[in-house]
Amino acid sequence: MMSIRPLHHRRALRRFPATLAGATAGALVVGLAAMPARAESDAGAPLGTVARTAGDARFEPGPCPRTADPIPDLARARCGTLTVPEKRSHRKGRKITLAVAIIPAVSSRPAPDPIVWLAGGPGDDAVSEIPMAVGGGLNRDRDVIFMSQRGTYSADPELTCRNVDEFAADSLDLVFGAPSTGRLHVAETRKCRDQLVRRGADLSAYNGTESSADYDGLRKALGLRQWNVFGISYGTDLALQYMRLHPKGIRSVGIDGVLPPSLAGGAVTWKAAREGFDGIFKACADQPACDTRYPNLKATFERLVVELEARPVTTTVTVPGQPEPVKVVLDGGLLVNWLTFASHLAAGVPRSIDELAHGNPQRIAEQYAGGKLSPQAIGRVSHGLVFGVFCSEWTPFESEADVIRAGRRLFPSFPRSVLANAPLLSWMHADCRAWDIPAAPRSIRSVTRSDIPTLVLSGGFDAQTAPSSGPYAARTLSRSTAVTVPYVAHVVFADSPCAQTITRSFFDTPTAPDTGCLAGLQPPVFEIAP
């Protein structure tokens, strides 16, 4: 399965070999005496060092969480856990614990209102995204709080399923969009479901509504009168829900790579692909050297999708860390999914497409296989949360026919077998039939209307969440600033120093962020093959 969830998939593709860092499990809290107070009570106690109960949420200071990779920044973090009901309609039922890590501000006199980070996915662990936040200077003037969303890697229980990830890696030699591949894929989803149920999980409790209440509980249990919110990718969907359901105590919100809850699903993913792909194709056409060497790139790509869907190509590639060559079958659906992720490697996209058009699929196959076989793609994502969101909040409100219609409108030349699986959401409706949980109330699809100051960030090359979804969300946010950063793919904060500058200035002055850096941005210089 692939979905909007995997920030980690795109990191592996963009940066492999993977370079994300993480922390030793159980790293102890350090430097507490130097940290300023943040709480409404317990003046003088640094944020995150006081046990407190607020309603149904209990925060306990403690060791930092286990992580899949070393995260050096955890050595200076203040950590603990938040304990909440697994399902708030069953308050006397099972409790779950969510890992909390607070990265202190660089400034010796930080602002009193910290930032809480909402991770991508659904299913990514916020703690694993600490390097991205720190790398972008988000903690320059404020503490930044990371809580593992329910079900994710450092939460308890963690609802990961290695078998689903391993199937995605092992199926590289299968035809991506073949019905037989889909049946095998859904069988692994059902196996995952059975594993989690046997472990006692109430699968209907892992969703945005419960997570929003978790974050409201965290703010209160930390003793904070107000804080700021920053969500990336799926975290924007969650942030918009959180703003609607629990607005009290939110000073400002930043959302980057916007997925509005009212649109979430396959149709908007086709729209994202259209807009992100066209951004890259246009940038090449506007660059004389690229346009001369790779003319009609858009038409070439779409022709290749049709041809490969009719006659898939098999190749063998060498992937770092793999002892044997890897066989990869490229069909039209795989090519669409490759470009969705390869938008993060935009400078090389025209050359890769041209090589494929001339009978050489190696670059594309190596990149795609490298992402699927990366250690970051195995055992990290909470499929319990992935399907909890997809199957209660997305698929009940969008039919398979809706997805195909949206794809056909945007990519009229693509065959139905490609259109049936929106990019990143392969076999989603079939998965959800196997997952078998109740639909969320229809209000989950409500548009968020708010006067909380909001920064709405989009990337011009974003093929995962449509650039146009940012302005769409901003229409009902009366004090919002919508910014599209050109020539950048999904989650601009991760890759754009300009986006990082805008974001930091927004949290300083939420109604007047400094966007001056946008004027100097230039497109990538596209690779030109000899």
Side-chain angles (χ1 to χ4, degrees):
M1 176 190 57
M2 291 189 297
S3 72
I4 288 174
R5 59 184 172 79
L7 244 235
H8 67 265
H9 280 302
R10 84 163 168 83
R11 286 193 300 249
L13 177 60
R14 187 180 70 220
R15 300 174 184 159
F16 91 91
T19 58
L20 272 189
T24 303
L28 294 178
V29 203
V30 295
L32 298 184
M35 303 303 169
R38 297 285 185 279
E40 291 177 319
S41 58
D42 306 298
L47 179 65
T49 62
V50 176
R52 184 183 288 104
T53 298
D56 58 21
R58 171 73 177 172
F59 176 78
E60 291 276 358
C64 288
R66 71 180 186 118
T67 59
D69 299 296
I71 300 180
D73 289 297
L74 281 179
R76 60 194 179 92
R78 303 188 296 277
C79 297
T81 56
L82 187 78
T83 301
V84 296
E86 183 180 42
K87 195 166 187 176
R88 286 176 172 81
S89 61
H90 301 148
R91 290 181 183 272
K92 294 184 179 180
R94 186 163 80 151
K95 303 290 186 182
I96 62 175
T97 58
L98 313 176
V100 178
I102 302 169
I103 300 297
V106 173
S107 171
S108 60
R109 302 188 65 181
D113 44 282
I115 299 168
V116 62
W117 178 280
L118 305 188
D124 286 354
D125 187 342
V127 175
S128 73
E129 294 177 356
I130 287 173
M132 187 193 307
V134 173
L138 197 63
N139 66 321
R140 183 189 64 181
D141 299 314
R142 285 175 169 78
D143 293 353
V144 183
I145 303 166
F146 300 83
M147 182 172 74
S148 300
Q149 195 177 345
R150 52 177 50 217
T152 58
Y153 186 86
S154 59
D156 183 14
E158 48 93 7
L159 304 186
T160 57
C161 290
R162 289 184 64 89
N163 68 292
V164 174
D165 305 323
E166 288 166 349
F167 176 78
D170 294 341
S171 63
L172 289 168
D173 61 350
L174 302 179
V175 177
F176 179 87
S180 56
T181 302
R183 288 190 291 271
L184 292 171
H185 168 95
V186 174
E188 295 299 330
T189 299
R190 189 175 291 108
K191 180 180 176 182
C192 170
R193 183 192 193 282
D194 292 345
Q195 290 172 1
L196 300 183
V197 169
R198 283 195 300 270
R199 285 158 51 188
D202 182 341
L203 300 182
S204 68
Y206 293 82
N207 54 56
T209 300
E210 295 285 1
S211 291
S212 295
D214 294 341
Y215 282 98
D216 186 53
L218 176 64
R219 179 186 64 81
K220 294 171 181 174
L222 288 175
L224 289 166
R225 183 180 62 82
Q226 65 175 9
W227 63 5
N228 305 277
V229 177
F230 188 65
I232 63 167
S233 191
Y234 164 72
T236 68
D237 179 319
L238 179 57
L240 289 164
Q241 287 192 50
Y242 175 39
M243 291 168 73
R244 182 173 61 83
L245 296 172
H246 303 281
K248 185 176 180 181
I250 302 177
R251 171 181 176 264
S252 69
V253 177
I255 50 177
D256 179 357
V258 182
L259 182 67
S262 56
L263 300 180
V268 77
T269 309
W270 277 123
K271 187 177 184 184
R274 179 79 280 168
E275 294 179 16
F277 295 175
D278 284 355
I280 296 172
F281 298 149
K282 183 179 186 303
C284 174
D286 289 346
Q287 206 166 104
C290 188
D291 189 46
T292 299
R293 181 64 180 80
Y294 310 116
N296 304 313
L297 191 65
K298 176 178 177 178
T300 299
F301 172 77
E302 294 186 6
R303 172 177 59 82
L304 287 169
V305 170
V306 174
E307 291 178 355
L308 285 171
E309 189 67 7
R311 294 177 296 279
V313 169
T314 300
T315 189
T316 301
V317 297
T318 300
V319 176
Q322 297 298 311
E324 302 292 337
V326 176
K327 186 166 77 171
V328 180
V329 177
L330 279 76
D331 69 351
L334 185 145
L335 186 60
V336 170
N337 279 273
W338 163 78
L339 185 52
T340 302
F341 290 123
S343 57
H344 294 276
L345 303 165
V349 161
R351 179 176 179 176
S352 296
I353 292 172
D354 182 72
E355 288 185 4
L356 178 62
H358 288 86
N360 181 5
Q362 292 294 110
R363 277 167 60 101
I364 289 174
E366 286 173 359
Q367 288 180 352
Y368 191 82
K372 289 296 181 184
L373 293 166
S374 164
Q376 287 189 319
I378 308 294
R380 310 281 182 94
V381 166
S382 169
H383 294 286
L385 183 57
V386 170
F387 292 123
V389 171
F390 286 180
C391 304
S392 68
E393 300 178 9
W394 296 13
T395 59
F397 306 100
E398 176 184 70
S399 70
E400 291 167 281
D402 291 334
V403 175
I404 292 171
R405 277 193 294 270
R408 183 169 289 123
R409 184 172 63 252
L410 295 160
F411 294 91
S413 69
F414 286 3
R416 189 183 190 282
S417 57
V418 172
L419 299 176
N421 283 314
L424 316 182
L425 299 174
S426 303
W427 316 108
M428 180 172 66
H429 280 79
D431 280 334
C432 285
R433 286 190 288 272
W435 205 251
D436 190 25
I437 58 173
R442 181 161 290 277
S443 59
I444 202 72
R445 306 289 285 188
S446 297
V447 171
T448 299
R449 302 180 185 278
S450 176
D451 61 359
I452 297 171
T454 307
L455 175 66
V456 183
L457 289 168
S458 303
F461 288 175
D462 187 349
Q464 292 176 248
T465 56
S468 64
S469 290
Y472 167 88
R475 291 182 310 170
T476 55
L477 304 173
S478 62
R479 301 172 71 197
S480 62
T481 302
V483 174
T484 298
V485 181
Y487 320 123
V488 186
H490 185 55
V491 183
V492 294
F493 185 88
D495 294 315
S496 168
C498 179
Q500 293 163 3
T501 297
I502 293 169
T503 302
R504 292 192 301 264
S505 76
F506 166 76
F507 288 119
D508 289 340
T509 54
T511 57
D514 181 1
T515 61
C517 60
L518 292 169
L521 298 181
Q522 297 295 321
V525 176
F526 290 98
E527 294 178 25
I528 305 298

